[in-house]
Amino acid sequence: MAVPDEIKRRVEALRREIDYHNWRYYVLDQPVISDAEYDALMAELQRLEQRYPELVTPDSPTQRVGAPPSEAFAPVRHEVPMLSLDNAFTDEDVHDFERRVKERLGEEKIDYATEPKLDGLAVSILYENGRLVRAATRGDGYTGEDITANVRTIRSIPLRLQGSGWPDRFEARGEVFMPIEGFRQLNQWAERHGEKTFANPRNAAAGSLRQLDPRITARRPLDFFCYGFGVFPQDRLPATHHEMLETFLAWGIPVAPERSVVRGAEGCLAYYRQMLEKRDTLPYETDGVVYKVDRFDWQRRLGFTARAPRWAIAHKFPAHEATTIVEDIEIQVGRTGILTPVAKLKPVQVGGVTVSSASLHNFAEMKRKDVRIGDTVIVRRAGDVIPEVVKVIGEKRPSGARTIAPPTRCPACGSEVVEDPGGTLLRCSGGLFCPAQLKAGIKHFASRRAMDIDGLGEKLIDQLLEKGLIKDVADLYRLTVDQLEKLERMGLKSARNLVEALEKSKHTTLARFLYALGIREVGEVTAQILADHFRSLEKLMAASELELEQLPGIGPIVARHIVAFFRQPHNLDVIERLRRAGVHWETPQVDATPRPLEGKTFVFTGSLSSMSREEAKSRVEALGGKVTNSVSKKTDYVVAGEKPGSKFDKAMKLGVDVLDEEQFLDLLQQSSPSWTNLQETEHRD
Ligand code: IVH
């Protein structure tokens, strides 16, 4: 029985619509329908395809996960070889690269397209008539493996292209990678189910892509950014690499948002520094950046060596991982008494920083990884996180490598160790009697986001406690220049500075003060919520658990900790003495105009279409921001309108955030009071 035309049309319409929503969701990150609406479209398509199996095509959105496991990957010969990149490690290497480019081209002003160097796997994706027909790994550069079924499961890769104007046959090339958050979740899941965890996102991406069963790949959080092309009709190429990427993007193929175009080696280096700074906050891992001569005619003139193009170079970041030896395992006692085993390492450079200790998180984790004194280990420092031991290199374990047992007594004060309700954490029961907890508490009190006492470091706190000059945080305000000057590594000048810093810290805010007290489970956000609500310390101190639980984000456990804290006579005494020493704050104003852009400096360049320069200026100022005329390292945002001038170039060079008009309007909107209120109400519900 022939399929009715009406059904064919409906199936086609559903596929287009689903493709469009996939693109909005996975590439643009701007969905326009709810998950439920999306599911309904998918369900309808699935129903129709089940009823009329002859309509099923490999590029149907229902087929991303459909293919059965295969025995092996078929070889794919690359029509255009997939080459590698030469590496630069220093600024000088980059200048050398540019010198060679200039000499060969006989040109002085070279623009480079710059991109993050993604840490994943190179993949080639072939499109015919707008449909994904084949995907392959790089292999040895000439022959790769057919991984079409696996690549189809990656949601951000279009099975059918958006827009129009694509050549009948072309190849997009790029990197398949696993975003950091997905990697964390995958490992957490694996741990819970007793399965093997991956050492890093790259290994996880490689392992996922090389699955013979695409149903497994489909469950892995993979993503893709395109950075170039293979087969592509010469006469259809735009003039530059960056235009090519924009074109790919318009066809629905994802490209890295952090791309840019810069002038000369200096521009490249500025981009490098900007990305290095951002590296830890990006949602994916990078091992460097890539510079490519932007103009295709110049790329052709430069050509290739046997291994790599002459028009591109990878500028590597310092490695995230290094190998070293565990010299000892110590137990650290935190501010709230938690005992953490810490591996003391033979110092080693990781990601540009010398690392000499790494957290083992807790005793269960230490046992699972089987870390022992004497072991050779891989340490990793990625993101803002503290360095950690990834794994032990078993083959290198010396005979007699020692473990340490979880202690039953606190190593700092000898108090009994108790297990936390969760079961994985051990805690010293000594409270402020424990010198380690006391020390950590004082350090926290002085920290930048708490009382912000400049110059009161760990070594100094040690000395003050040892010499009996302080017993708690309130004693800090009784220290004199005379006393301080006599301490090791202190002089008259540092002693005076510290007393001055202490004096300055007395003027604070209620939120900071509450945070500084170090009440368990009361972080900065909770402290702010408490300050905004109660507006006075006395009122907070008198609040009941029930009253506290009414506040957004405060549950029964936090409420109990707060009430318990203010019941302790010792804590009340410290608070009393702090206030008598002169620690004070203004009563928080409920209806004070919010100044969300306080401390932010803006520079405008080019013209905005939605408002005049004066209006933009007054809107920024109304929200507490400042507008200046010239760009410097201190500038927070450069807002670039139509036809931006040299300030834009300078911003790129200095690595200052550049906002286009839309982003600027978003920022204004997000910062405006009505938005803040809305958030509050949502939170409360
Ligand atoms: S361009 C002919 N751009 O790095 C030039 N490669 O070390 C082809 N990579 O095999 C490569 N991010 O897997 C290029 N933005 C980027 C990249 C990138 C990651 C990988 C790619 C390549 C390897 C070379």
Side-chain angles (χ1 to χ4, degrees):
M1 191 186 75
V3 182
D5 279 352
E6 198 187 313
I7 300 289
K8 282 189 194 158
R9 277 197 300 273
R10 180 64 189 151
V11 163
E12 189 50 30
L14 281 167
R15 287 180 185 161
R16 292 225 163 280
E17 198 170 345
I18 293 169
D19 282 344
Y20 172 76
H21 292 304
N22 272 342
W23 175 68
R24 300 277 329 181
Y25 187 89
Y26 291 108
V27 182
L28 301 186
D29 202 11
Q30 290 166 347
V32 283
I33 57 170
S34 70
D35 289 358
E37 286 167 302
Y38 177 87
D39 291 345
L41 294 173
M42 264 307 237
E44 187 185 347
L45 180 59
Q46 259 154 355
R47 230 177 18 249
L48 291 174
E49 287 183 350
Q50 246 160 31
R51 180 107 190 264
Y52 304 97
E54 59 268 55
L55 289 184
V56 177
T57 56
D59 60 16
S60 170
T62 58
Q63 298 305 300
R64 284 200 185 264
V65 200
S70 57
E71 297 284 303
F73 299 111
V76 172
R77 179 117 193 122
H78 297 301
E79 288 168 55
V80 178
M82 289 182 80
L83 295 182
S84 182
L85 289 171
D86 280 335
N87 290 326
F89 296 96
T90 62
D91 287 13
E92 203 187 334
D93 293 345
V94 177
H95 283 292
D96 286 346
F97 164 71
E98 146 126 310
R99 197 171 316 123
R100 290 193 299 270
V101 167
K102 280 181 175 172
E103 271 167 22
R104 281 194 176 257
L105 290 177
E107 296 285 345
E108 268 309 302
K109 294 192 170 133
I110 320 276
D111 284 336
Y112 296 92
T114 58
E115 297 154 13
K117 184 170 191 297
L118 303 149
D119 208 1
L121 288 100
V123 169
S124 139
I125 306 176
L126 184 65
Y127 284 93
E128 282 177 3
N129 302 314
R131 284 155 203 252
L132 188 161
V133 294
R134 196 198 65 204
T137 61
R138 175 169 178 266
D140 63 4
Y142 297 91
T143 308
E145 290 178 316
D146 189 326
I147 49 162
T148 314
N150 288 345
V151 166
R152 276 187 196 289
T153 69
I154 302 174
R155 299 299 194 279
S156 61
I157 297 180
L159 301 178
R160 298 205 275 186
L161 297 176
Q162 301 283 323
S164 58
W166 5 271
D168 293 345
R169 185 166 187 275
F170 77 93
E171 210 185 332
R173 289 181 176 176
E175 200 88 346
V176 168
F177 60 95
M178 189 174 288
I180 296 169
E181 188 47 38
F183 163 73
R184 283 206 187 112
Q185 279 171 14
L186 179 65
N187 262 359
Q188 259 169 27
W189 185 90
E191 211 161 288
R192 269 206 305 278
H193 291 79
E195 291 191 15
K196 185 176 151 276
T197 54
F198 292 101
N200 56 48
R202 207 198 97 85
N203 288 1
S208 306
L209 214 48
R210 292 196 46 82
Q211 284 289 338
L212 287 166
D213 184 352
R215 283 168 302 191
I216 298 179
T217 315
R219 291 200 294 264
R220 301 286 171 79
L222 294 174
D223 207 340
F224 172 81
F225 280 148
C226 169
Y227 55 63
F229 59 92
V231 171
F232 202 99
Q234 172 92 40
D235 58 342
R236 303 285 294 279
L237 280 175
T240 58
H241 178 80
H242 84 268
E243 285 167 288
M244 178 91 248
L245 294 189
E246 295 311 318
T247 308
F248 278 141
L249 193 59
W251 294 341
I253 302 172
V255 299
E258 289 76 20
R259 64 194 182 278
S260 175
V261 181
V262 302
R263 173 63 58 85
E266 281 307 329
C268 291
L269 292 173
Y271 175 78
Y272 176 88
R273 285 190 278 273
Q274 189 189 348
M275 288 297 286
L276 187 57
E277 202 157 289
K278 262 197 187 171
R279 182 188 195 188
D280 290 346
T281 60
L282 292 173
Y284 50 82
E285 286 216 332
T286 54
D287 54 348
V289 292
V290 183
Y291 314 133
K292 298 171 183 173
V293 170
D294 197 26
R295 275 175 60 164
F296 282 145
D297 55 341
W298 287 358
Q299 285 192 5
R300 273 192 294 279
R301 275 172 58 199
L302 289 161
F304 298 84
T305 67
R307 278 178 2 93
R310 288 201 190 89
W311 41 263
I313 197 157
H315 189 175
K316 301 289 282 256
F317 289 149
H320 266 325
E321 289 182 359
T323 306
T324 186
I325 292 170
V326 178
E327 295 183 325
D328 198 5
I329 297 176
E330 283 180 1
I331 299 167
Q332 240 167 40
V333 187
R335 179 163 62 83
T336 57
I338 292 184
L339 306 186
T340 310
V342 176
K344 292 288 156 185
L345 306 168
K346 183 157 176 250
V348 63
Q349 285 278 316
V350 191
V353 175
T354 306
V355 170
S356 55
S357 56
S359 175
L360 295 167
H361 301 298
N362 55 58
F363 287 91
E365 176 92 355
M366 184 179 92
K367 194 163 167 212
R368 194 179 63 76
K369 288 186 178 156
D370 192 18
V371 183
R372 303 187 191 178
I373 300 168
D375 270 339
T376 299
V377 292
I378 296 176
V379 285
R380 181 176 172 77
R381 202 196 125 257
D384 302 322
V385 294
I386 20 178
E388 58 170 3
V389 171
V390 182
K391 65 171 195 178
V392 173
I393 304 180
E395 304 84 63
K396 293 207 173 163
R397 171 167 290 168
S399 60
R402 264 188 323 117
T403 47
I404 63 160
T408 52
R409 298 259 155 207
C410 170
C413 71
S415 298
E416 197 188 337
V417 167
V418 289
E419 206 169 89
D420 242 29
T424 36
L425 298 181
L426 298 182
R427 201 187 283 273
C428 157
S429 60
L432 287 181
F433 168 73
C434 174
Q437 287 190 49
L438 177 62
K439 192 174 117 188
I442 296 174
K443 210 171 121 192
H444 169 78
F445 181 83
S447 64
R448 203 169 54 83
R449 308 189 72 95
M451 297 300 280
D452 192 17
I453 306 171
D454 209 14
L456 188 61
E458 201 167 336
K459 296 246 159 62
L460 193 55
I461 296 175
D462 274 346
Q463 286 193 66
L464 293 171
L465 285 168
E466 267 165 35
K467 299 232 152 60
L469 290 176
I470 58 170
K471 289 201 172 56
D472 55 38
V473 293
D475 291 338
L476 287 170
Y477 292 99
R478 292 173 30 189
L479 291 169
T480 62
V481 173
D482 233 27
Q483 289 172 323
L484 289 169
E485 195 197 359
K486 295 193 193 99
L487 298 174
E488 272 167 50
R489 277 187 299 257
M490 285 293 273
L492 181 61
K493 181 139 187 272
S494 359
R496 278 196 185 136
N497 286 348
L498 183 58
V499 170
E500 203 171 295
L502 279 161
E503 198 53 42
K504 208 170 110 201
S505 76
K506 286 180 186 170
H507 182 69
T508 184
T509 64
L510 178 55
R512 271 173 177 270
F513 182 75
L514 291 175
Y515 173 62
L517 289 177
I519 306 168
R520 259 173 73 185
E521 306 288 338
V522 176
E524 278 180 278
V525 176
T526 306
Q528 189 68 55
I529 291 169
L530 293 173
D532 287 347
H533 181 81
F534 290 99
R535 298 174 59 217
S536 105
L537 183 61
E538 286 67 29
K539 287 210 182 100
L540 167 62
M541 286 166 77
S544 67
E545 282 181 39
L546 212 63
E547 220 178 325
L548 288 162
E549 276 179 52
Q550 305 308 309
L551 297 180
I554 298 187
I557 296 176
V558 190
R560 203 176 318 140
H561 283 310
I562 296 170
V563 170
F565 183 91
F566 291 119
R567 277 215 193 110
Q568 288 260 350
H570 168 81
N571 292 335
L572 299 180
D573 170 59
V574 170
I575 292 172
E576 171 66 25
R577 280 158 51 225
L578 283 169
R579 298 197 77 173
R580 252 192 283 136
V583 173
H584 67 286
W585 52 84
E586 267 105 62
T587 305
Q589 295 286 306
V590 232
D591 50 2
T593 331
R595 294 169 66 82
L597 298 181
E598 180 101 67
K600 301 274 181 230
T601 318
F602 288 72
V603 175
F604 291 95
T605 174
S607 54
L608 298 174
S609 61
S610 57
M611 63 181 93
S612 69
R613 188 71 73 82
E614 277 65 36
E615 191 183 342
K617 184 166 181 239
S618 61
R619 296 221 15 210
V620 167
E621 286 170 349
L623 295 166
K626 219 171 84 184
V627 177
T628 65
N629 268 325
S630 60
V631 182
S632 78
K633 269 203 189 124
K634 296 218 174 95
T635 311
D636 292 289
Y637 299 106
V638 168
V639 180
E642 276 289 307
K643 299 212 177 79
S646 62
K647 289 178 201 166
F648 176 76
D649 299 340
K650 184 141 183 218
M652 287 310 299
K653 231 188 197 142
L654 293 175
V656 173
D657 264 352
V658 177
L659 305 179
D660 61 22
E661 181 159 358
E662 205 175 297
Q663 290 166 323
F664 173 59
L665 292 175
D666 277 351
L667 182 71
L668 288 182
Q669 202 196 351
Q670 283 167 23
S671 310
S672 71
S674 58
W675 190 84
T676 321
N677 292 340
L678 193 73
Q679 288 276 305
E680 272 285 280
T681 354
E682 274 175 7
H683 203 52
R684 261 187 204 137
D685 293 338

